[in-house]
Amino acid sequence: MEGVKAEAREGAAVAQDLLALGYGGVPGTASRGASCPDFRALCVRLAAELATLGALEQQREAGAEVLSAGDGLYAEEDFLRQLGRLLRELHCPDRALCGGDGAAALREPGAGLRLLRFLCSELQATRLLRLRSLLDPSPRPPLGEGVVEGAGMVQELGLTLQALGLPRPAPGTPASQLLQELHAKISELQPSLPPGSLQPLLSYSLDAPRWEALESLSQSLRDQYRCRRYLLLKRLDLTTSLSTGAQGEAMRAVLIPIREVLTPESDISIAHVLAARADLSRLIPATSMAVRRGTCCAINKVLMGNVPDRGGRPNELEPPMPTWRSRREDGGPQCWGRKKKKKKK
């Protein structure tokens, strides 16, 4: 009984979100999930507007659909494959919807409403960000006096305030007051999140020795990554410099703007470790069904023919036979052992 009431409340909330966004209400067959053409059509419309507003990271060709409802025999299968790719691109926190068997997950009670709720929330946030950029296209002023614009800490703080919907603080605002406001806002929003969505990856409390050990480990990893990135960038520079002809010029024209912003220094710090959540350690095998569903293509079925033997197997080589020759060039016998001392007369 409680489950039916909760699903009814969720359906009413989703219907209100859809009406606020200018779409119709929730289709009555939403419980059927991806098997319902009306449900697929609604998801296609929401995803199309997200792509139009620039909410997706991957660049697509003009006219290419993010989702396709379809009406053929394999319409549902194609829709689920595209939906899984879209949810991963939007960093959906619902593991059930992003898992391997999307069809079974969408058939569960309330799964279709959860999907619509997530797409509606993403579309609302994207519209607000687009409206803010249109109303205030001028660059943002620095957060406080004496702060260099573009500093990493200022950028992170600005993004945090923007995500929480808080106004930018006045110059000279104490850091303690700003942190208290952030803590109060996060505590206010936390109950509305799904349970277990903000569990930290680092669950141990850090004392002074552990802070020192973490800082030492972070510095060691940064030094290693600096060397590796420097080596990879040097290889890239050499590869582009050796390319000649028209193709080489075209390749350099594309790579030079990208290469100019690449530096050997890493921007990963201890703050990223503290901000990491438990879902970051979720490892998905590259050969799993969920991953292969989005990466498989026709070329995987092409078999390679015979290739020349390049060798490289020392265990199959016979040891070389020794060659015998005379120990002395003049052919005389060679005596071994200690020389006898001459007796004194």
Side-chain angles (χ1 to χ4, degrees), residues 316-339:
E316 297 181 4
L317 299 177
E318 296 182 359
M321 294 296 294
T323 57
W324 300 96
R325 62 182 180 82
S326 176
R327 296 185 178 181
R328 293 186 62 178
E329 296 299 334
D330 54 359
Q334 185 173 359
C335 299
W336 297 92
R338 296 180 179 178
K339 294 182 179 180

Side-chain angles (χ1 to χ4, degrees), residues 204-333:
Y204 294 96
S205 59
L206 298 176
D207 51 9
R210 289 181 177 178
W211 275 110
E212 294 178 359
L214 186 61
E215 177 63 30
S216 176
L217 180 60
S218 175
Q219 184 61 40
S220 177
L221 290 175
R222 280 199 297 266
D223 294 340
Q224 284 191 30
Y225 291 152
R226 185 188 301 111
C227 294
R228 295 182 183 184
R229 288 165 66 96
Y230 181 80
L231 176 61
L232 293 176
L233 292 176
K234 180 61 69 175
R235 288 180 176 177
L236 177 61
D237 295 338
L238 292 175
T239 303
T240 54
S241 63
L242 295 176
S243 302
T244 58
Q247 296 295 333
E249 294 295 334
M251 183 177 65
R252 280 190 289 271
V254 175
L255 286 179
I256 287 178
I258 304 176
R259 173 63 182 89
E260 290 177 351
V261 299
L262 297 177
T263 60
E265 301 295 333
S266 175
D267 56 353
I268 304 299
S269 62
I270 298 181
H272 293 83
V273 179
L274 300 178
R277 299 300 152 192
D279 56 354
L280 188 63
S281 62
R282 181 164 54 99
L283 303 179
I284 301 177
T287 56
S288 64
M289 184 180 299
V291 177
R292 291 295 299 159
R293 185 174 297 173
T295 59
C296 62
C297 57
I299 199 173
N300 297 137
K301 300 179 181 179
V302 178
L303 299 178
M304 295 182 62
N306 295 329
V307 296
D309 189 2
R310 299 176 62 184
R313 297 179 296 275
N315 58 326
E316 297 181 4
L317 299 177
E318 296 182 359
M321 294 296 294
T323 57
W324 300 96
R325 62 182 180 82
S326 176
R327 296 185 178 181
R328 293 186 62 178
E329 296 299 334
D330 54 359

Side-chain angles (χ1 to χ4, degrees), residues 65-137:
E65 294 183 345
V66 181
L67 284 179
S68 59
D71 53 359
L73 181 62
Y74 301 101
E76 181 180 356
E77 182 179 351
D78 295 339
F79 173 80
L80 290 174
R81 182 175 64 254
Q82 296 171 357
L83 178 63
R85 189 183 302 115
L86 173 66
L87 293 178
R88 286 191 293 272
E89 189 173 351
L90 292 174
H91 305 285
C92 177
D94 196 327
R95 297 186 181 181
L97 296 178
C98 298
D101 196 352
L106 283 176
R107 292 192 188 99
E108 295 179 358
L113 295 176
R114 295 203 316 270
L115 174 61
L116 293 177
R117 188 68 180 272
F118 172 73
L119 293 178
C120 289
S121 63
E122 289 292 318
L123 185 53
Q124 289 173 350
T126 306
R127 285 186 180 182
L128 289 175
L129 293 177
R130 181 65 177 271
L131 180 62
R132 176 176 295 183
S133 62
L134 293 176
L135 294 178
D136 188 13

Side-chain angles (χ1 to χ4, degrees), residues 182-192:
L182 291 175
H183 185 269
K185 186 64 175 180
I186 294 174
S187 301
E188 177 186 350
L189 297 175
Q190 189 171 359
S192 61

